[in-house]
Amino acid sequence: MELWQIVVAEAPKAPNLWGALGCAMAYAAALLAALDAFADLLLARGQSTPGRLGPAQGLKFGGKLAAAGITVSSAGIVLALDANWFALIALSTTFVAVIVVALVALRRAGRSATAPAGPVMA
């Protein structure tokens, strides 16, 4: 076996860019599903009893979050199996950052909705 055959045989394979694009689309869809679930939660707060969601609202909220979790997990596994660590870390970090920002906004909206109103001028 010659030297060039050894070098070519040991060269790392390039990541699958089409697979990474598909996983990025899956992450985006999961992100939209999670944000839609948070928006449903905000809208449902004014329509239900304080501190509780109706059964249908809770099922819809939980279903969207479960679908987002399954999608992100599946896409992460595909990226890890393809050894595309850059895409896995970039997409996962972005997903978590946007969800944390959405949770902070959701918490602030909850506080402002339950805060007592200031004095009213007649």
Side-chain angles (χ1 to χ4, degrees):
M1 190 177 255
E2 294 182 23
L3 181 60
W4 68 270
Q5 289 174 334
I6 295 172
V7 173
V8 171
E10 294 179 8
K13 67 177 192 160
N16 179 4
L17 296 180
W18 287 108
L21 179 63
C23 290
M25 299 277 294
Y27 268 86
L31 188 59
L32 289 175
L35 292 177
D36 188 39
F38 294 149
D40 286 345
L41 183 63
L42 273 176
L43 292 173
R45 280 186 178 168
Q47 300 171 355
S48 61
T49 58
R52 293 196 48 129
L53 289 175
Q57 293 167 335
L59 184 62
K60 184 179 176 184
F61 176 73
K64 286 180 181 180
L65 288 183
I70 290 168
T71 303
V72 166
S73 301
S74 301
I77 290 170
V78 168
L79 289 172
L81 288 174
D82 195 31
N84 195 343
W85 304 113
F86 175 76
L88 177 64
I89 292 169
L91 290 170
S92 297
T93 303
T94 304
F95 182 83
V96 169
V98 171
I99 293 298
V100 166
V101 168
L103 288 174
V104 168
L106 187 66
R107 187 169 176 103
R108 283 190 182 175
R111 275 196 218 145
S112 67
T114 59
V120 177
M121 301 295 283

